[in-house]
Amino acid sequence: MKHPTIFLNQFSMVFISIILLNSLLFLNACSDTNSKKGSDSSTEAVNEGEQYRPAFHFTPQKNWMNDPNGMFYLDGKFHLYFQHHPDSNVWGPMHWGHATSEDLMNWEEHEIALFPDELGTIFSGSAVVDYQNTSGLGTKENPPIVAIYTNHDADGEKAGSLTFQNQSIAYSNDKGYTWTKYSKNPVVKNPGIKDFRDPKVFWMENQQKWIMALAAGQEIQYYESKNLIDWSYKSSFGTGIGNHNGVWECPDLFPLTIEGTETVKWVHLVSINPGGPNGGSATQYFIGDFDGNQFTLDPEFKVDIEKSHRFWADFGRDNYAGVTFSNWRTDDKKKPLFLGWMSNWLYGTIVPTYNWRSAMTLPRNLELSKTKEGYILKSTLAVDWDSFTTNKGNIVETKIEGNTTIVPPNTLDLSAAKINIQLKNLESTTYTFELANQYGDTLSFGYDHKAKQFFINRSKSGKVDFSPEFTKGPSTAPRFSDDDMISLEFVLDKMSIELFYDSGEAVMTEIFFPNAPYQTLTLRTDDPTNTKYSATILEVNPSKNKE
């Protein structure tokens, strides 16, 4: 293997010792790879999975989590609510958990925000800051936070009713920490649609009204209100458009300016389960116009999606139900801030963790570009990484020769890292990056230039036997650029990789469960090439920002 020179700062034998100590601790936690999964009575099971708890992705302290809900920004804090079953590590009666962060890397979990009530459990929804006190539930001096969510009546569902999901509201007068449910809930009653849920609400300034996008079966319905209490149906969208191989869920709708222009389009996110591009749950998007009453597809986008549906917010298998923070885009320079659930309904309830299940993705800025390939919704990392970098490695431009080692063992900690790599002078071959540990666990990802296709293969990544769906074929994503250079940015955090190719034009997020931390990163090609690469590797410690 070729070992290019890595230029490090702040690197010492003390640092190596710390890495080795962490690896030994990890190995001790992972030593029983055949322990039973989900055994309530086992002391080992209680601790199982703690070695996988991410350093800077949000996870609940205990038990089950899925969709992000009610996200908003206020007074320097990001509020994240989430679907939560506090009494089990699998899905069950839904509550809204609550966490806050000032930097999107360090999260503090708070008391449960919303509990089930006589109308049902608390399914997904959104929250807004009612600055004008249109609801009358606060004051202009102390505007209320209003949460709009779905009540799910499980008994009604079992009885065969079609109206078991209705939309309710709750309000907070202490900036989102405690909540009072509206006494006359529900505010939007079900007209007889089995799947009628996940309201996303926003203020439409130019029309001085609230808009609700609501998943209703295989379409999205739009409602308007002046006060967040009295709602009127306006129109619907979705019939015959996009992927309908599963239930439509968790919509979002927002305006975005096309890069390099002054043209504004509306981006519509719709999650679907199943039906994703690589199996299971995923989030598709649509581009068009919204006049306050109706969403209409852009004509060019309509032609493109009918020809080939490539419009996914993330092509990986582990980014679902993502929506954007409200009250964040207080000026035109701010981009929508997106966060998703980092798992998949194909196996999310049986992954090899016990004390907690599921993490959120890292927050991402969304951007809209238009190329000769058509519209592309791009994702870029939203975090200020300089604030969290504890060590840095650089590799100057180097020719790829055989199996090239980018990160040798015991040099940089790959369990919490952000890595940027550039490949120049691409040739008609496959470029494969591989993360590996001493047990032979490997996570492979890269680019097939001949097929113009990115890929991830986690079939040998560690613990994989909990579900055949987890390793069902490599995940793939199309490349939209014809450039002979690729920029790749990716983040590693114990049990996840988030890949951003070509400045976020193609994104892939997947989870994995190695038997020990990955220690090396290599790059190989299927054929000899003249391709060169360069790299920057950052070790990440979220605690650095607290110092």
Side-chain angles (χ1 to χ4, degrees):
M1 294 184 183
K2 183 178 179 182
H3 293 253
T5 303
I6 300 180
F7 299 95
L8 301 177
N9 53 32
Q10 301 176 3
F11 183 77
S12 66
M13 291 304 295
V14 173
F15 173 71
I16 295 176
S17 299
I18 291 172
I19 293 177
L20 291 173
L21 177 59
N22 286 338
S23 297
L24 289 170
L25 290 172
F26 191 110
L27 288 174
N28 184 59
C30 291
S31 60
D32 184 7
T33 58
N34 295 316
S35 60
K36 285 188 176 181
K37 305 176 186 69
S39 175
D40 292 354
S41 60
S42 170
T43 302
E44 292 180 357
V46 172
N47 295 317
E48 186 183 358
E50 284 303 312
Q51 71 271 31
Y52 299 125
R53 189 183 288 275
F56 48 86
H57 289 72
F58 175 72
T59 59
Q61 293 177 14
K62 293 180 65 177
N63 290 323
W64 174 262
M65 175 182 74
N66 54 287
D67 306 359
N69 295 153
M71 300 187 298
F72 70 91
Y73 177 78
L74 184 66
D75 294 343
K77 285 193 175 182
F78 297 90
H79 289 256
L80 163 66
Y81 302 86
F82 53 92
Q83 290 287 276
H84 185 38
H85 185 6
D87 301 318
S88 174
N89 64 359
V90 296
W91 188 91
M94 287 291 97
H95 302 56
W96 270 25
H98 181 210
T100 57
S101 176
E102 295 181 357
D103 57 19
L104 297 170
M105 293 279 275
N106 293 283
W107 291 91
E108 178 183 1
E109 188 169 353
H110 303 284
E111 297 295 324
I112 291 173
L114 295 176
F115 290 82
D117 55 34
E118 67 279 2
L119 295 176
T121 57
I122 314 298
F123 271 26
S124 292
S126 53
V128 296
V129 183
D130 185 10
Y131 279 111
Q132 299 182 34
N133 192 33
T134 62
S135 62
L137 299 173
T139 65
K140 287 188 176 181
E141 294 73 27
N142 183 32
I145 313 298
V146 179
I148 308 93
Y149 58 90
T150 299
N151 269 127
H152 177 91
D153 179 6
D155 291 336
E157 180 183 19
K158 291 177 182 177
S161 171
L162 291 178
T163 60
F164 58 88
Q165 292 182 337
N166 296 276
Q167 316 318 312
S168 297
I169 64 174
Y171 59 95
S172 172
N173 294 127
D174 62 359
K175 300 183 179 181
Y177 292 95
T178 62
W179 294 85
T180 302
K181 291 175 181 173
Y182 181 58
S183 61
K184 297 182 181 179
N185 279 333
V187 296
V188 178
K189 293 183 178 181
N190 193 320
I193 300 172
K194 180 181 178 182
D195 297 302
F196 188 71
R197 58 176 179 262
D198 309 337
K200 177 64 173 179
V201 172
F202 63 92
W203 177 252
M204 197 159 187
E205 179 66 28
N206 63 347
Q207 297 187 24
Q208 291 290 290
K209 66 181 181 181
W210 298 100
I211 299 295
M212 176 191 294
L214 186 68
Q218 288 284 307
E219 63 181 18
I220 305 300
Q221 294 185 348
Y222 310 103
Y223 293 76
E224 69 173 13
S225 175
K226 293 292 186 180
N227 58 13
L228 292 166
I229 295 171
D230 302 301
W231 293 90
S232 300
Y233 169 80
K234 301 303 294 182
S235 65
S236 61
F237 161 79
T239 302
I241 298 294
N243 188 304
H244 287 271
N245 293 331
V247 177
W248 277 30
E249 298 182 306
C250 303
D252 202 348
L253 181 63
F254 49 86
L256 203 50
T257 302
I258 300 173
E259 285 183 333
T261 76
E262 296 183 357
T263 302
V264 175
K265 287 293 179 180
W266 284 75
V267 178
H268 207 328
L269 304 180
V270 177
S271 288
I272 185 169
N273 176 47
N278 286 292
S281 41
T283 301
Q284 59 188 328
Y285 67 87
F286 304 91
I287 307 299
D289 300 288
F290 184 69
D291 62 4
N293 296 304
Q294 189 170 14
F295 178 79
T296 306
L297 278 184
D298 176 89
E300 292 181 44
F301 181 89
K302 186 174 187 294
V303 170
D304 286 344
I305 197 171
E306 288 176 347
K307 185 190 308 179
S308 175
H309 189 350
R310 56 174 179 79
F311 301 100
W312 300 94
D314 193 313
F315 286 88
R317 296 186 217 182
D318 295 307
N319 184 356
Y320 186 61
V323 289
T324 59
F325 282 83
S326 70
N327 202 48
W328 170 242
R329 301 179 70 191
T330 52
D331 60 62
D332 293 336
K333 295 180 181 179
K334 288 185 176 178
K335 299 165 184 173
L337 188 62
F338 171 97
L339 191 76
W341 176 49
M342 197 161 62
S343 195
N344 191 308
W345 281 114
L346 286 175
Y347 44 76
T349 60
I350 54 173
V351 294
T353 61
Y354 181 87
N355 200 38
W356 58 279
R357 273 211 175 104
S358 301
M360 295 300 180
T361 68
L362 284 176
R364 304 167 185 190
N365 292 317
L366 299 182
E367 306 170 19
L368 183 62
S369 66
K370 190 177 182 184
T371 69
K372 66 179 183 179
E373 297 287 339
Y375 288 101
I376 300 174
L377 183 65
K378 297 165 58 177
S379 295
T380 58
L381 291 166
V383 170
D384 176 15
W385 293 96
D386 289 340
S387 301
F388 306 100
T389 299
T390 55
N391 202 23
K392 183 177 181 180
N394 290 306
I395 299 175
V396 298
E397 194 169 285
T398 304
K399 183 180 177 181
I400 302 171
E401 293 183 3
N403 196 12
T404 300
T405 299
I406 299 174
V407 179
N410 303 323
T411 54
L412 288 165
D413 184 3
L414 293 174
S415 66
K418 186 179 87 72
I419 300 175
N420 289 66
I421 296 176
Q422 282 195 335
L423 300 178
K424 291 185 178 180
N425 304 321
L426 296 172
E427 297 182 19
S428 185
T429 188
T430 298
Y431 300 83
T432 301
F433 297 91
E434 187 174 270
L435 290 158
N437 62 22
Q438 68 271 40
Y439 289 100
D441 299 335
T442 58
L443 179 72
S444 301
F445 56 96
Y447 175 59
D448 181 343
H449 190 47
K450 188 174 182 180
K452 285 194 67 176
Q453 191 172 77
F454 302 112
F455 62 88
I456 302 178
N457 188 340
R458 61 185 179 190
S459 62
K460 299 178 181 179
S461 60
K463 294 183 181 180
V464 298
D465 61 354
F466 54 90
S467 170
E469 296 291 346
F470 190 74
T471 56
K472 195 174 182 179
S475 299
T476 61
R479 190 183 188 206
F480 305 116
S481 172
D482 291 325
D483 201 331
D484 70 348
M485 179 186 78
I486 279 182
S487 64
L488 165 60
E489 182 175 37
F490 62 98
V491 177
L492 299 166
D493 190 5
K494 298 269 187 82
M495 44 72 75
S496 65
I497 185 168
E498 292 169 271
L499 293 150
F500 301 82
Y501 291 101
D502 291 326
S503 301
E505 287 188 355
V507 182
M508 303 184 79
T509 301
E510 298 212 351
I511 58 177
F512 48 85
F513 304 95
N515 291 298
Y518 294 131
Q519 298 173 312
T520 62
L521 174 64
T522 58
L523 168 60
R524 67 176 185 272
T525 58
D526 286 356
D527 307 287
T529 72
N530 291 311
T531 303
K532 295 181 178 181
Y533 80 98
S534 57
T536 300
I537 304 103
L538 306 181
E539 286 183 357
V540 178
N541 182 353
S543 299
K544 182 189 174 187
N545 201 38
K546 297 178 179 180
E547 297 173 357

